[in-house]
Amino acid sequence: MKNQILLFVIVFTFNSMKAQEIKTMTYFQNDTIKLDLDLYLPQKKTNEKIPLIIFAFGGGFSGGERTSEKEFGLFMAKNGYAVASISYSLYMKGKDFGCKGTLTEKIKAIQIGVSDMWQATSFLIENANKYNLDSSKIFISGISAGAEIGFHASFWDYKLMNLYKNNLPENFKYKGFIGGSGAIQDINLITKEKAIPMLLAHGNNDDTVPYAAGSHRSCPTNASGWLILFGSYAVYNHMNELHKDIELITFCGGGHEFSGYLFHQGQQYVLDFVNDVLKGKRFESHIIIPSGKKGASSGKYLFCE
């Protein structure tokens, strides 16, 4: 019986992968680095251009693989969307991205990752016709460090912060942002004019990336790597003040282990989000889920009591 179940799982997985098309390609290369992406495409051909979700993995800018969320790419492709899972420069590999690190190095790691994301976006726009992509419907997404890339790629001044040539279309804007346990350095970068629809998920006891406003890795103020960040709850409140579309999923008592939720157990939330954005629906919601962690404190938030 166990062998039959195993065979079924293998056949099902193989058939699911066959139902979508995966292309690996180099999106950026210079004398020192070569960066690839995996493009997941629906197998069913259509005359309509395909909306695209660009994904950046997590790993503290020192580790991680673009293939880690293959199931997410296959799921979205099965439902008619293209997903580009990118590699990016792991600038902090072998360095301290925590409290004993250097603040300028931490910011540089984010800037390099964001510049890589912009290069990937530019590459996919330039090749949109080749892969039948809709360059006016590009979403950005990521987990942890990848979500920090997504936040800053969405709201940093491109011409000021890009480390490579300025090659995104004038006035380019991502269609929406999907972030797992991410944060942004300056919440005031999110203005009424620049705001885009967001789907965020975060544990309110996250001591790695702050859930609200706080220091990265919970570092004390005298630490050399002290960096203030504005997490998902702070962004949610800010977006509400701007009357812009946002959905937040809070895991009460949860920590950073929920950073990948949207791309694993919560894939349907992502699908519903992109569908709603493309249909022009307005929304604002805060979904509260108990983390189920024994002995976990719900913290200072009354909605978690």
Side-chain angles (χ1 to χ4, degrees):
M1 183 65 180
K2 287 183 179 179
N3 290 336
Q4 289 178 325
I5 294 173
L6 179 61
L7 179 62
F8 172 79
V9 170
I10 292 172
V11 171
F12 178 79
T13 303
F14 178 74
N15 287 337
S16 294
M17 292 181 69
K18 281 182 63 180
Q20 288 82 44
E21 189 176 2
I22 306 172
K23 296 180 178 293
T24 299
M25 59 198 78
T26 299
Y27 73 83
F28 179 73
Q29 186 170 6
N30 60 20
D31 293 338
T32 59
I33 193 169
K34 176 177 177 287
L35 297 172
D36 294 337
L37 63 80
D38 295 327
L39 182 63
Y40 298 79
L41 294 166
Q43 186 187 50
K44 185 178 180 181
K45 303 304 177 184
T46 173
N47 291 328
E48 292 186 12
K49 297 289 186 180
I50 307 167
L52 170 67
I53 302 167
I54 307 179
F55 173 81
F57 58 82
F61 299 95
S62 62
E65 297 285 346
R66 71 176 187 274
T67 56
S68 59
E69 308 308 325
K70 181 177 285 187
E71 293 305 315
F72 172 70
L74 294 173
F75 173 80
M76 295 304 297
K78 182 180 177 182
N79 285 280
Y81 292 96
V83 173
S85 184
I86 72 165
S87 294
Y88 57 90
S89 304
L90 301 178
Y91 180 74
M92 297 307 295
K93 193 170 185 178
K95 303 178 184 179
D96 192 334
F97 195 55
C99 301
K100 294 181 180 179
T102 305
L103 175 59
T104 53
E105 288 286 272
K106 293 173 77 168
I107 295 173
K108 186 176 180 180
I110 298 172
Q111 187 180 13
I112 292 172
V114 170
S115 295
D116 291 345
M117 172 61 77
W118 285 332
Q119 289 297 312
T121 303
S122 175
F123 172 85
L124 289 161
I125 290 173
E126 290 172 359
N127 290 275
N129 289 335
K130 182 177 181 179
Y131 300 108
N132 200 32
L133 304 175
D134 191 335
S135 59
S136 69
K137 297 174 182 176
I138 299 179
F139 293 79
I140 190 169
S141 66
I143 292 174
S144 189
E148 290 167 12
I149 287 175
F151 263 126
H152 293 91
S154 298
F155 300 111
W156 260 347
D157 183 328
Y158 174 78
K159 292 181 179 179
L160 177 66
M161 299 303 290
N162 187 21
L163 295 172
Y164 305 116
K165 62 181 181 178
N166 295 327
N167 53 3
L168 277 179
E170 191 72 25
N171 301 318
F172 173 80
K173 194 175 184 180
Y174 292 103
K175 194 70 176 177
F177 170 57
I178 304 139
S181 303
I184 190 168
Q185 290 181 40
D186 183 359
I187 202 167
N188 294 309
L189 293 171
I190 306 173
T191 64
K192 186 168 287 189
E193 293 72 29
K194 290 185 176 180
I196 57 176
M198 297 188 209
L199 169 63
L200 309 176
H202 215 132
N204 75 319
N205 275 356
D206 192 335
D207 58 8
T208 301
V209 178
Y211 169 68
S215 63
H216 179 242
R217 300 280 179 94
S218 302
C219 298
T221 54
N222 65 345
S224 59
W226 184 69
L227 172 64
I228 286 293
L229 293 173
F230 295 86
S232 302
Y233 186 59
V235 173
Y236 169 77
N237 288 328
H238 183 68
M239 289 283 284
N240 275 332
E241 291 174 1
L242 297 176
H243 303 290
K244 294 296 182 177
D245 298 330
I246 186 162
E247 181 174 346
L248 171 64
I249 301 173
T250 293
F251 293 93
C252 286
H256 200 62
E257 69 275 8
F258 288 98
S259 60
Y261 174 82
L262 289 172
F263 306 93
H264 301 152
Q265 306 95 318
Q267 293 174 358
Q268 188 64 43
Y269 282 111
V270 178
L271 180 60
D272 292 343
F273 169 76
V274 293
N275 284 339
D276 287 347
V277 171
L278 294 178
K279 290 176 183 176
K281 289 186 177 181
R282 299 301 309 274
F283 54 86
E284 180 278 312
S285 65
H286 186 185
I287 300 169
I288 299 166
I289 302 175
S291 68
K293 292 178 66 177
K294 291 183 179 180
S297 169
S298 60
K300 61 185 178 181
Y301 303 99
L302 293 177
F303 52 76
C304 280
E305 295 298 327

